[in-house]
Amino acid sequence: MPAVPQPSAFESRCNATYDALMWALSRPGLPRDLPPFDPDDLPAGLAHPAHAALIDALIDRECTVHCENPELARHAARSGAAPGTPRTADHLFLDGLATPDLLGDLRQGSDLHPEDGATLVLPARLGQGAPLRLSGPGVDGTLDVRLAGLPEGFWQTRARIMRYPMGFEVFLTDGARVLGLPRSTRVEVL
Amino acid sequence: MTLQSLTKDWEPMAYGFLDGSAKREIRRKMLKAISVPGCQMPYASREVPMARGWGTGGLQVSCTLVTPRTRIKVIDQGADDSVNAASIRKFLASVSGAPVTTDTLQADLIQSRHRIPEERLREDQVLVLQVPNPEPLRSVQPNMSIARQMHADADYGRMWLQLYEQIVRSGRVMQGASYPSLVNGRHVMTPSPIPRWDVPKLHMARHLTLLSAGREKRLHAVPPFTRVEPLVFDDVPYRVEDHAGLTCHRSGARGFFMNEIPQADGTSLHEVSDSDLGVKTIRAAEGEDTRIGATWYVDGEMS
C-alpha cells in the first residue's frame, strides 16, 4: 500500500483559501476567514496580502489578470497569468476604487457563457459604513450588512449595468476576512 | 527570479490526485457555478483512474475540496456499500488521507450517485452529485449548441410541451428521475437522476450542492437557500413516488424512499434506500446508542 500523500503547506493554504471563497459566495454577506499565511510565502510590502493568497488559490496561465499593485502583478505573473486591462481581465485585484466607473468596463460574459464574467477583488471595511440589505440565492430571506471603503454609487452602478445571468463577482477583503457577492445577489442601499 | 522560485519540490503524487492546474480550474468554475445557480459551466474534466460515466465529475470536485480533515461519505443509490460507492470512498481516502464515514451527520463532504440522504444536511456540509447527463434539454434538443442558446434565452417551451405530452398520453408526468427543475427562477437544470422524492430537498436547503458531469465536462451548483422548483402545471401538482406508506422489511423504517425487492412468489418486499438510515434504525431498535438526525420527510410527508 503506497503512502498517503500529505498536502504541502502551500496546497493546504490554497485549499483553505478556496474553501473560504466558496462559502463566501455560497452565503453572500457572511464574512469568512482566510487561512493564516506565512509572510515568507508571499511577496513583501503588499498592502493586501490576502490578494496574493487568492492568486495562489485561483490563478494560473489560463487566466488574464489585472493587478493595480505592481508587486502583486509580479506575483500574478509568476503563476503564468497574462497581464490584462480592466476590460480584458477575468480576475481583477484592486487596491481601492475612487469611482464606480470601472465597473462598466468589466467583462460580464454573455447569456451563452455567463462564466466569462470577471471576478473583482477589492479591499473594504467589513462591518462599518453604509447599511445594505442583501437578498437572493445563499441568503436566508434578507441579510443586513455594513460595508465601507467603496465609492459612492458602487451598488447603484452594479445594479444598473448587470443583467443576470451576465455579470461579475465581487470579493471584498478586509485583512484576512473575505466577503463574497455573486452576481445573483440583490443589494439594496438602505 | 530564480529557478528555485519557479519550481516546487518533487512529490510522488499530487495531493488529492489532481494536479494544481486542474484544481485551480475546477475552483474557478465552481465559483462561477455558485454565482449563477443551475447554469452549466464547462470545465476541462481531467483524467482520473476511473472510466468516464462512473462518477468522474463528482470525483474531481471531491478531489479538489478534500483535505486530511474532511470526513467523507460516498453513497450510490443511497447505499454506502455498493461497488461504485466503496471504490470511490477507498480512492478518495487513499489519495487524501481523509477520514471516511457512513454516518450522514458526521460527514463534511458527501459524494452521491443519484440520492440525497434522508437526514437533513447542515449548512456546513457539501453534497457532490455525480451527473451522467447535465443537459435537461437533451431529450427535446440533441444539438448542445442550440440547447445552450435555449438556456441563454430561457426558452423552455419545449420542456413544458414534453411534460404536457406525457400527461396527455399517460395521465401523469412519466419523468421518474432527473426531474427538470427551475433554479433561482432562471435556469432549468437536471438535478442529476435523483428520484422525484429527493428534488424538494434541494429547495431552500441549508447545504451547498455541487453537480458535476465528468464525461460531459460541465458542472453546475445549487447554493444554500436557493429556489429549486420542479416544472409543474398549476393544475397538475408535483408528485413524489408513492413510498409514504411503505415499511422497510429489515429495519422497520417507514415513510422513506424504498428499494423494491421482487420475491419468487410475485410479491415484493421493500428496503429503505438510504442504507445508513436503515442501519441506524436497526441499531436504535436494538437499544444501541445511535443518533438519527432530523429527516426531510416525516411520516412520508415533506416537512
Side-chain angles (χ1 to χ4, degrees):
Chain A
M1 186 69 194
V4 171
Q6 293 297 317
S8 64
F10 179 80
E11 164 72 28
S12 294
R13 173 161 65 77
C14 290
N15 189 301
T17 305
Y18 170 69
D19 200 61
L21 297 179
M22 180 176 81
W23 283 108
L25 273 195
S26 299
R27 301 298 309 277
L30 300 181
R32 304 278 161 177
D33 291 325
L34 293 167
F37 38 78
D38 186 349
D40 297 340
D41 283 357
L42 299 174
L46 288 179
H48 307 288
H51 293 193
L54 262 63
I55 286 177
D56 287 338
L58 296 177
I59 303 299
D60 57 26
R61 59 191 307 158
E62 296 171 19
C63 304
T64 307
V65 175
H66 173 73
C67 297
E68 214 172 26
N69 183 307
E71 192 58 40
L72 192 68
R74 273 193 288 280
H75 185 67
R78 269 197 286 278
S79 73
T85 65
R87 284 179 192 277
T88 60
D90 44 45
H91 291 77
L92 296 93
F93 298 85
L94 304 182
D95 287 342
L97 209 52
T99 70
D101 298 342
L102 177 102
L103 298 184
D105 292 342
L106 298 185
R107 281 171 47 168
Q108 297 200 27
S110 60
D111 284 329
L112 282 171
H113 288 283
E115 72 272 13
D116 291 340
T119 304
L120 173 65
V121 183
L122 268 175
R125 295 194 301 282
L126 310 182
Q128 306 172 28
L132 305 170
R133 179 160 293 165
L134 310 184
S135 58
V139 183
D140 187 8
T142 59
L143 178 70
D144 291 355
V145 296
R146 283 177 178 276
L147 296 172
L150 297 168
E152 187 71 30
F154 183 87
W155 302 110
Q156 290 84 350
T157 307
R158 173 183 178 273
R160 195 182 73 244
I161 62 177
M162 285 201 313
R163 187 177 60 73
Y164 188 85
M166 294 194 288
F168 50 84
E169 276 59 60
V170 180
F171 284 113
L172 300 173
T173 62
D174 185 356
R177 288 195 304 161
V178 63
L179 182 143
L181 286 166
R183 66 190 74 176
S184 56
T185 301
R186 266 175 48 107
V187 180
E188 190 187 341
V189 181
L190 297 177
Chain B
M1 193 178 286
T2 62
L3 197 56
Q4 184 66 36
S5 71
L6 288 170
T7 54
K8 295 203 165 54
D9 293 338
W10 183 85
E11 289 178 310
M13 180 169 71
Y15 180 76
F17 190 79
L18 292 179
D19 59 73
S21 76
K23 285 182 188 170
R24 284 188 294 268
E25 195 227 358
I26 291 179
R27 284 174 190 152
R28 293 194 298 267
K29 288 298 162 59
M30 279 198 276
L31 291 182
K32 293 298 171 193
I34 291 166
S35 305
V36 192
C39 182
Q40 300 164 47
M41 302 297 176
Y43 73 105
S45 190
R46 308 302 210 272
E47 291 284 337
V48 286
M50 200 166 72
R52 292 193 191 272
W54 289 86
T56 54
L59 187 63
Q60 289 175 70
V61 169
S62 297
C63 285
T64 304
L65 296 178
V66 74
T67 74
R69 294 170 307 286
T70 312
R71 199 167 284 275
I72 299 171
K73 171 183 165 83
V74 187
I75 50 176
D76 173 7
Q77 298 277 15
D80 292 278
D81 53 358
S82 84
V83 174
N84 191 235
S87 55
I88 289 177
R89 182 168 53 236
K90 193 173 153 197
F91 177 78
L92 278 171
S94 68
V95 298
S96 71
V100 298
T101 182
T102 59
D103 188 345
T104 306
L105 300 179
Q106 289 182 13
D108 300 313
L109 175 71
I110 301 171
Q111 180 172 337
S112 166
R113 175 177 173 266
H114 310 353
R115 273 311 308 280
I116 298 176
E118 298 284 6
E119 285 162 292
R120 279 177 179 272
L121 300 182
R122 297 184 310 268
E123 59 186 37
D124 59 330
Q125 289 176 309
V126 181
L127 175 69
V128 179
L129 286 168
Q130 302 168 199
V131 185
N133 171 18
E135 182 54 81
L137 297 173
R138 189 156 297 166
S139 56
V140 295
Q141 178 48 265
N143 183 323
M144 66 168 87
S145 302
I146 299 175
R148 184 164 283 277
Q149 184 69 56
M150 288 165 72
H151 282 291
D153 298 339
D155 172 12
Y156 296 123
R158 287 195 201 184
M159 220 57 236
W160 291 101
L161 183 63
Q162 186 190 36
L163 296 174
Y164 172 75
E165 284 177 344
Q166 288 177 5
I167 293 171
V168 169
R169 284 210 189 106
S170 317
R172 64 182 178 89
V173 173
M174 299 302 284
Q175 189 89 28
S178 43
Y179 196 98
S181 306
L182 188 65
V183 184
N184 189 28
R186 175 58 179 80
H187 285 95
V188 168
M189 71 154 188
T190 170
S192 85
I194 57 174
R196 294 195 303 272
W197 184 271
D198 284 348
V199 177
K201 297 175 182 175
L202 289 172
H203 177 67
M204 299 306 271
R206 305 189 79 85
H207 67 278
L208 167 65
T209 308
L210 296 163
L211 304 100
S212 180
R215 184 181 49 201
E216 306 284 333
K217 307 185 178 188
R218 293 183 224 178
L219 58 85
H220 53 288
V222 179
F225 301 110
T226 300
R227 284 178 291 138
V228 177
E229 295 146 327
L231 296 185
V232 282
F233 297 100
D234 289 349
D235 51 348
V236 184
Y238 183 72
R239 280 180 62 189
V240 300
E241 288 79 356
D242 211 3
H243 290 195
L246 301 178
T247 305
C248 172
H249 80 105
R250 288 173 72 183
S251 68
R254 193 177 159 82
F256 297 108
F257 192 76
M258 298 285 170
N259 298 332
E260 186 175 358
I261 303 162
Q263 301 297 302
D265 61 359
T267 61
S268 53
L269 292 174
H270 294 91
E271 186 178 287
V272 69
S273 161
D274 185 339
S275 68
D276 177 57
L277 182 73
V279 169
K280 281 188 187 175
T281 310
I282 292 172
R283 285 194 179 145
E286 290 174 348
E288 273 185 57
D289 185 23
T290 45
R291 195 165 88 75
I292 300 177
T295 51
W296 264 294
Y297 283 84
V298 177
D299 295 330
E301 291 289 325
M302 185 72 190
S303 56

